[in-house]
Amino acid sequence: MSGKVIPLNKQSSKVKQFIFGIYSHKMVYEDGTWREHFFIVLKHRETGVILEITPFSRYLRYYNRNLDRRRPATIRKKASLICLFLNYLLIDSYEQFKMDNLLSITIEHGQRFLQAYADGEIGNRERKEASTVYRANIEVARFYIWLQKMHKKKVSNIYTITMLESEEYRDKDGKIGYYQKTPFDLVVSDVVRKQVFRDIPNKVFWKLLRLSQIYYPDITLGLCLQAFCGLRPGEVCNVRQLVCPLDGGGYTYSLYGGKLESFTINLTNKYPMRSDMVDVGGIKKRRHQTCYKAFLPVLEHYYNLHIERLKNKFVEPGYFPLFVNEDGMALTVESYREKFKKLVHTHLMEAIKDSEDFEVRNYAQLLLTHELAPHSLRHWFTVQLVLQGESASEIAMYRGDNNLDTALIYIRNKSELLKMHKKANASLIQEMMKFGNGGVQN
């Protein structure tokens, strides 16, 4: 790989024939685990032909040394932002900056890019929220640090500048936090954040589960793993069967008195799930994920139905997916989401639109103008944990989070959640008793 900062001797008339982009390569290692490696490449703009793997690829490895345990989507997002920056600085604004390499880079260059990014002049052409700009700000500062480490005094305009400093702050509840300060001085306009539609009344949730078993029985257990174990959609598609020889199986469980006592899903490694090497979805945090104990009776019911059904299906040999498509190959997260969408906006809508229950009928009206995504089941799961009185650390553990931030947000909103789910505790206990006694609702 070339040691030059940018692998082109450019002429103004030819610059815009090229563009920086991302190339990914999937590999299966000797231990059977699956990895996707990313490279920043220079491509011909019109044909997409890759001309060269650039030295900027080293940045992805430098600041993500634990790449093997990061989601490919996370790495791709970081690489995409750096490609935007390189295209802005070295190609799209070449007439303005006249830069043939990054040795002459200044703080102003990064500031100009970030302001244009915040204002929606580049990227997806929409003004960005402050949180999005903050993350981009940090990523560009890290790229500058990498340039400092790689080229030292050759990047004379930025070599002595401290790019990241931690500053302490207190939130409205007095909790101490830290944020990263950079030399980039930006003006970020307020953006009204689009409200995500994700609430599911308990009455509607149980109806959704029963309808899924009728219309999409191949994903019903997946809905349970989201709603009772806190899995993300992509993680559901990575669950392997009990008999999988890797890592001691895709999950483990124990019985007591013939009843399910525990159920733990193995998400510690990402393995190929299909022979065509299609990535079925991401695992955000590698872990063993345990089902919340109160939901075990319901999980056991739908688990048994799923296993019986799986016995009669062809499953691609050697890959052991728990969720398969019509061809016996592992279900992808895209297919999972599509099935969920049809389940909600076709079958659930039809079932509840004329309900005698006002709350349920009103929810059907909301579904006419709002799309419900499968991630809403993880939200439902978290709400139930809060209403059951679990602590922030327990909620974060059951959700598979890296920190307590999300759990604390839910706990701070507990009073609002109680208003919205006045009978949540009672209805949850009643549902568990029905399944625990072997009863199945119609």
Side-chain angles (χ1 to χ4, degrees), residues 29 35 37 61 64-70 286:
Y29 285 65
R35 310 280 200 283
H37 297 287
R61 176 64 62 182
N64 297 282
R65 291 169 184 156
N66 60 339
L67 281 179
D68 290 344
R69 302 190 67 81
R70 279 184 179 268
R286 309 293 174 88

Side-chain angles (χ1 to χ4, degrees), residues 176-442:
I176 296 176
Y178 296 89
Y179 73 94
Q180 297 290 311
K181 184 179 179 181
T182 76
F184 306 121
D185 186 17
L186 307 174
V187 177
V188 182
S189 304
D190 290 334
V191 177
V192 178
R193 184 172 185 176
K194 185 178 180 180
Q195 188 68 33
V196 178
F197 182 63
R198 57 181 183 173
D199 286 311
I200 309 177
N202 283 5
K203 299 173 188 175
V204 175
F205 170 77
W206 298 114
K207 185 73 172 176
L208 177 70
L209 210 54
R210 294 190 291 274
L211 289 171
S212 178
Q213 190 58 37
I214 295 171
Y215 295 105
Y216 296 104
D218 54 329
I219 68 167
T220 307
L221 179 62
L223 306 189
C224 292
L225 296 185
Q226 286 202 261
F228 305 152
C229 308
L231 265 62
R232 300 165 180 88
E235 293 170 344
V236 167
C237 297
N238 275 280
V239 178
R240 295 166 283 119
Q241 294 180 39
L242 181 67
V243 296
C244 179
L246 302 169
D247 282 353
Y251 55 90
T252 57
Y253 67 86
S254 63
L255 300 174
Y256 182 77
K259 297 294 183 182
L260 194 63
E261 178 71 11
S262 68
F263 192 93
T264 302
I265 303 152
N266 185 351
L267 295 171
T268 55
N269 285 297
K270 185 172 174 61
Y271 293 95
M273 300 295 290
R274 299 164 54 121
S275 59
D276 59 8
M277 292 299 293
V278 168
D279 185 9
V280 299
I283 300 176
K284 186 169 185 178
K285 181 183 178 183
R286 309 293 174 88
R287 66 197 188 280
H288 286 98
Q289 189 61 56
T290 302
C291 176
Y292 188 61
K293 196 173 182 65
F295 292 120
L296 286 171
V298 194
L299 180 68
E300 181 177 14
H301 171 72
Y302 286 109
Y303 169 78
N304 289 335
L305 291 175
H306 184 84
I307 295 302
E308 283 301 313
R309 185 174 180 277
L310 201 60
K311 289 178 182 177
N312 300 317
K313 284 188 66 70
F314 167 76
V315 179
E316 185 179 24
Y319 291 91
F320 308 99
L322 187 59
F323 300 97
V324 298
N325 62 17
E326 291 73 14
D327 299 321
M329 302 180 78
L331 191 71
T332 66
V333 69
E334 291 81 10
S335 296
Y336 179 76
R337 288 192 179 110
E338 186 61 29
K339 288 175 182 286
F340 181 85
K341 181 179 178 180
K342 290 179 180 177
L343 172 65
V344 170
H345 294 280
T346 300
H347 304 294
L348 179 64
M349 272 286 297
E350 182 63 28
I352 67 175
K353 64 185 175 96
D354 297 321
S355 173
E356 294 181 0
D357 188 306
F358 173 77
E359 180 187 8
V360 174
R361 193 169 65 250
N362 184 59
Y363 190 77
Q365 290 295 314
L366 290 174
L367 288 177
L368 289 174
T369 54
H370 297 79
E371 183 171 321
L372 192 70
H375 205 79
S376 59
L377 297 173
R378 187 167 150 83
H379 170 70
W380 184 88
F381 170 69
T382 310
V383 169
Q384 303 306 317
L385 296 183
V386 173
L387 297 178
Q388 294 301 308
E390 300 295 348
S391 67
S393 60
E394 288 169 324
I395 291 171
M397 183 269 291
Y398 279 116
R399 281 175 49 88
D401 289 338
N402 289 316
N403 53 56
L404 301 180
D405 293 351
T406 301
L408 289 170
I409 291 172
Y410 275 92
I411 287 177
R412 286 171 191 151
N413 293 328
K414 184 173 181 178
S415 59
E416 289 300 314
L417 293 175
L418 285 169
K419 291 178 184 177
M420 292 175 62
H421 302 269
K422 293 178 182 177
K423 300 179 181 179
N425 288 353
S427 64
L428 179 62
I429 293 170
Q430 290 166 7
E431 292 293 338
M432 299 308 106
M433 289 179 65
K434 289 177 183 176
F435 281 93
N437 295 326
V440 180
Q441 293 183 328
N442 298 316

Side-chain angles (χ1 to χ4, degrees), residues 150-174:
M150 285 288 291
H151 303 289
K152 303 187 184 306
K153 294 182 179 180
K154 291 181 181 179
V155 283
S156 57
N157 295 322
I158 65 168
Y159 180 61
T160 60
I161 298 176
T162 300
M163 297 306 305
L164 283 174
E165 287 185 282
S166 292
E167 290 203 357
E168 184 179 296
Y169 72 93
R170 290 182 180 272
D171 64 16
K172 61 181 181 181
D173 298 320

Side-chain angles (χ1 to χ4, degrees), residues 15-61:
V15 165
K16 294 190 178 178
Q17 294 181 29
F18 309 102
I19 188 171
F20 288 95
I22 303 169
Y23 168 73
S24 68
H25 180 70
K26 300 174 183 176
M27 295 182 65
V28 179
Y29 285 65
E30 289 183 0
D31 62 358
T33 56
W34 180 93
R35 310 280 200 283
E36 186 172 8
H37 297 287
F38 292 87
F39 304 88
I40 295 176
V41 301
L42 194 68
K43 301 190 291 186
H44 187 260
R45 189 182 290 267
E46 290 187 7
T47 65
V49 172
I50 295 175
L51 304 176
E52 184 171 350
I53 294 177
T54 75
F56 302 120
S57 301
R58 295 175 184 169
Y59 170 71
L60 301 179
R61 176 64 62 182

Side-chain angles (χ1 to χ4, degrees), residues 8-18 44 91 94:
L8 282 182
N9 292 318
K10 302 193 292 183
Q11 299 176 18
S12 180
S13 60
K14 296 181 179 180
V15 165
K16 294 190 178 178
Q17 294 181 29
F18 309 102
H44 187 260
I91 296 177
Y94 182 75

